[in-house]
Amino acid sequence: MVTRVIGLALGFSVAGLACSAQPTSSETPERSSAGSQATETTGGMGGSISPGGQSGLSDTGGTSGASNAAGSANSMAGAPMTTGDAGSPGAGDPCVSFDSQEPLPVAVDGPFVPGGYFAGPRDPSPNLSGISSTACEMRPVAALHFGECHKYSFKASVLESMPLEGTLAGAYGGVFWLAGSDTNWGTSAGVNIAPGARSVKFKAWGAVGGEVVTFSVGGVTGKTCADSVAFPSETQLTETLTTTPTEYSFNLKGATYPRGVIGGFSWSTKTTSTNAITTFYLDDIRWTAEAP
């Protein structure tokens, strides 16, 4: 297995994403001009490949779909905590949960649910139906596994048109792992991950190689709550995958997250064709105290 370590890069916010699991309250993420621009650029540039075989795998198998375990403590970054009648810190604050702390390492599947689908360019986007999720046919050999092994595919049905330029700008699709439920776009508390995480690690590989996928952590900002992940800068990386399961790592560089994490992990990809299919695999996604 190949290992890659990634430093910090420019991140993005989920404000303005076209989501399949929209909040049930009035807190639907707003599409601002800044949010729209950020969303349009989350995917890797081009690189959509038709699905094919894979290598470097065992027949141990994997399962898809995370459990709906409730997330833990989170609040809007920088917002003051309140005190209720009983004098408990944070009482009455919808962004602070009193669930137990998740000890490191934290498998993202479980406390976070991979149900935060988003796609563009239209809102709501017909491209949402082009995102599919199944279990991996086979899972890479590992002494210890974290969470599930996921197989994702994306095929756009609509491209954004650029009438002035006379070209097609493309489309994007992706999935967020959200705290506690697939509707938590900043409407409630995040997961109370124990302090001291030094990296977020995961394995990824493509069906045929050459798939371009962007990965990120944190970045969920709603009207009520927001990620408190205090990175030196937000994390995002774009990788061209091979068919070999490769471990990637976000270097948190002393980042703190004192009031929880809503967006435990996310991926997005971009295409300029309605015929191309991007298919890739994700496994062992976790927050860990291990060095990147």
Side-chain angles (χ1 to χ4, degrees), residues 5-240:
V5 177
I6 309 296
L8 298 183
L10 178 65
F12 65 93
S13 169
V14 299
L17 294 179
C19 309
S20 65
Q22 293 284 3
T24 55
S25 69
S26 60
E27 311 217 17
T28 301
E30 295 180 346
R31 180 175 288 275
S32 65
S33 58
S36 298
Q37 181 181 13
T39 302
E40 299 287 345
T41 58
T42 56
M45 303 304 293
S48 298
I49 306 295
S50 298
Q54 54 184 313
S55 63
L57 305 175
S58 75
D59 58 359
T60 56
T63 57
S64 66
S67 66
N68 288 322
S72 301
N74 176 79
S75 169
M76 184 171 293
M81 296 183 70
T82 60
T83 302
D85 295 338
S88 300
D93 187 338
C95 298
V96 176
S97 170
F98 296 100
D99 289 345
S100 60
Q101 191 175 79
E102 296 279 351
L104 297 170
V106 176
V108 169
D109 291 317
F112 300 93
V113 178
Y117 285 54
F118 61 93
R122 298 182 182 180
D123 184 11
S125 176
N127 287 329
L128 285 171
S129 62
I131 304 173
S132 65
S133 173
T134 61
C136 299
E137 297 92 347
M138 294 179 289
R139 197 171 193 180
V141 176
L144 180 63
H145 282 300
F146 299 88
E148 315 285 346
C149 185
H150 303 269
K151 177 182 179 181
Y152 283 103
S153 293
F154 173 64
K155 181 179 180 181
S157 59
V158 174
L159 301 180
E160 181 178 18
S161 62
M162 303 288 287
L164 296 179
E165 292 80 2
T167 61
L168 293 175
Y172 61 86
V175 176
F176 262 86
W177 275 249
L178 298 173
S181 76
D182 58 8
T183 61
N184 186 8
W185 294 102
T187 57
S188 60
V191 175
N192 182 12
I193 297 178
R198 300 173 63 189
S199 62
V200 178
K201 296 188 175 185
F202 62 98
K203 297 186 186 78
W205 63 100
V208 297
E211 298 84 353
V212 179
V213 186
T214 295
F215 305 98
S216 187
V217 297
V220 174
T221 301
K223 292 180 180 179
T224 302
C225 305
D227 270 312
S228 71
V229 185
F231 296 110
S233 62
E234 294 198 34
T235 57
Q236 180 175 318
L237 62 95
T238 298
E239 291 295 322
T240 300

